Coordinates of all heavy atoms in Angstrom, one line a residue:
E39 N -15.8 9.4 -3.9 CA -14.7 10.2 -3.3 C -14.5 9.9 -1.8 O -14.4 10.8 -0.9 CB -15.0 11.7 -3.5 CG -15.1 12.1 -4.9 CD -14.9 13.6 -5.2 OE1 -15.2 14.4 -4.3 OE2 -14.5 14.0 -6.3
R40 N -14.5 8.6 -1.5 CA -14.2 8.1 -0.2 C -12.9 7.4 -0.1 O -12.5 6.7 -1.0 CB -15.3 7.1 0.3 CG -16.7 7.7 0.4 CD -16.9 8.4 1.7 NE -16.8 7.4 2.9 CZ -17.7 6.6 3.3 NH1 -18.9 6.5 2.7 NH2 -17.5 5.8 4.3
P41 N -12.2 7.6 1.0 CA -10.9 6.8 1.2 C -11.2 5.3 1.1 O -12.3 4.9 1.5 CB -10.4 7.3 2.5 CG -11.1 8.5 2.9 CD -12.4 8.4 2.2
L42 N -10.2 4.6 0.7 CA -10.3 3.1 0.6 C -9.3 2.5 1.5 O -8.1 2.7 1.4 CB -10.1 2.6 -0.8 CG -10.2 1.1 -1.1 CD1 -11.5 0.5 -0.7 CD2 -9.9 0.8 -2.5
L150 N -5.8 11.5 11.9 CA -6.2 11.3 10.5 C -7.7 11.6 10.3 O -8.1 11.8 9.1 CB -5.9 9.9 10.1 CG -4.5 9.5 9.7 CD1 -4.5 8.0 9.2 CD2 -4.0 10.4 8.5
L151 N -8.5 11.6 11.3 CA -9.9 11.6 11.1 C -10.4 12.8 10.3 O -11.2 12.7 9.4 CB -10.7 11.6 12.5 CG -10.5 10.3 13.2 CD1 -11.2 10.3 14.6 CD2 -10.9 9.1 12.4
E152 N -9.8 14.0 10.6 CA -10.3 15.2 9.9 C -10.0 15.1 8.4 O -10.8 15.5 7.6 CB -9.6 16.4 10.5 CG -10.2 17.7 10.0 CD -9.5 19.0 10.5 OE1 -8.5 18.8 11.2 OE2 -9.9 20.1 10.1
Y153 N -8.8 14.6 8.1 CA -8.4 14.4 6.7 C -9.4 13.4 6.1 O -9.9 13.7 5.0 CB -7.0 14.0 6.6 CG -6.6 13.6 5.2 CD1 -6.2 14.6 4.3 CD2 -6.9 12.3 4.7 CE1 -5.9 14.3 3.0 CE2 -6.6 12.0 3.4 CZ -6.2 13.0 2.5 OH -5.9 12.7 1.2
L154 N -9.6 12.3 6.7 CA -10.3 11.2 6.0 C -11.8 11.6 5.9 O -12.5 11.2 4.9 CB -10.3 9.9 6.9 CG -8.9 9.3 7.0 CD1 -8.9 8.1 7.9 CD2 -8.4 8.9 5.6
G155 N -12.3 12.4 6.8 CA -13.8 12.7 6.8 C -14.0 13.9 5.9 O -15.1 13.9 5.2
E156 N -13.1 14.9 5.9 CA -13.4 16.1 5.1 C -12.4 16.6 4.2 O -12.5 17.6 3.6 CB -13.7 17.2 6.2 CG -15.0 17.1 6.9 CD -14.9 17.4 8.4 OE1 -14.5 16.5 9.2 OE2 -15.1 18.6 8.7
Y157 N -11.3 15.8 4.0 CA -10.2 16.2 3.2 C -9.7 17.6 3.5 O -9.7 18.5 2.7 CB -10.5 16.1 1.7 CG -10.9 14.7 1.3 CD1 -12.2 14.4 1.0 CD2 -9.9 13.7 1.2 CE1 -12.5 13.1 0.6 CE2 -10.2 12.4 0.8 CZ -11.5 12.1 0.5 OH -11.8 10.8 0.2
N186 N -8.9 1.6 14.6 CA -10.0 2.4 15.2 C -11.2 2.4 14.4 O -11.2 2.6 13.2 CB -9.4 3.8 15.4 CG -10.3 4.6 16.3 OD1 -11.5 4.6 16.2 ND2 -9.6 5.3 17.2
D187 N -12.4 2.2 15.1 CA -13.7 2.2 14.4 C -13.9 3.5 13.6 O -14.5 3.5 12.5 CB -14.8 2.0 15.4 CG -15.3 0.6 15.3 OD1 -14.9 -0.2 14.4 OD2 -16.2 0.3 16.1
A188 N -13.5 4.6 14.2 CA -13.8 5.9 13.6 C -13.0 6.0 12.3 O -13.5 6.6 11.3 CB -13.3 7.0 14.6
V189 N -11.8 5.4 12.2 CA -11.1 5.5 10.9 C -11.9 4.6 9.9 O -12.1 5.0 8.8 CB -9.7 4.9 11.1 CG1 -9.0 4.6 9.8 CG2 -8.8 5.9 11.8
K190 N -12.3 3.4 10.3 CA -13.0 2.5 9.4 C -14.3 3.1 8.9 O -14.6 2.9 7.7 CB -13.3 1.2 10.1 CG -12.0 0.3 10.4 CD -12.5 -1.0 10.8 CE -11.3 -2.0 10.8 NZ -11.7 -3.2 11.5
R191 N -15.0 3.8 9.8 CA -16.3 4.4 9.3 C -16.1 5.4 8.2 O -17.0 5.6 7.4 CB -16.9 5.1 10.5 CG -17.9 4.2 11.3 CD -18.9 5.0 12.0 NE -18.4 6.1 12.7 CZ -17.8 6.1 13.9 NH1 -17.7 4.9 14.6 NH2 -17.3 7.1 14.5
R192 N -15.0 6.0 8.2 CA -14.7 7.1 7.2 C -14.2 6.5 5.8 O -14.0 7.2 4.9 CB -13.8 8.1 7.7 CG -14.4 9.1 8.7 CD -13.4 9.8 9.5 NE -14.1 10.8 10.4 CZ -14.6 10.5 11.5 NH1 -14.7 9.2 11.9 NH2 -15.2 11.4 12.3
C193 N -14.0 5.2 5.8 CA -13.4 4.6 4.6 C -14.3 3.5 4.1 O -15.1 2.9 4.8 CB -12.1 3.9 5.0 SG -10.8 5.0 5.6
L194 N -14.2 3.2 2.8 CA -14.7 2.0 2.2 C -13.6 0.9 2.6 O -12.5 1.2 2.7 CB -14.8 2.1 0.7 CG -15.8 3.2 0.2 CD1 -15.9 3.1 -1.3 CD2 -17.2 3.0 0.8

Side-chain angles (χ1 to χ4, degrees):
E39 300 197 336
R40 294 276 301 278
L42 176 61
L150 279 181
L151 296 178
E152 187 184 7
Y153 172 89
L154 296 175
E156 287 140 274
Y157 299 109
N186 192 314
D187 256 355
V189 165
K190 288 191 171 169
R191 270 204 314 277
R192 285 165 177 77
C193 299
L194 301 182

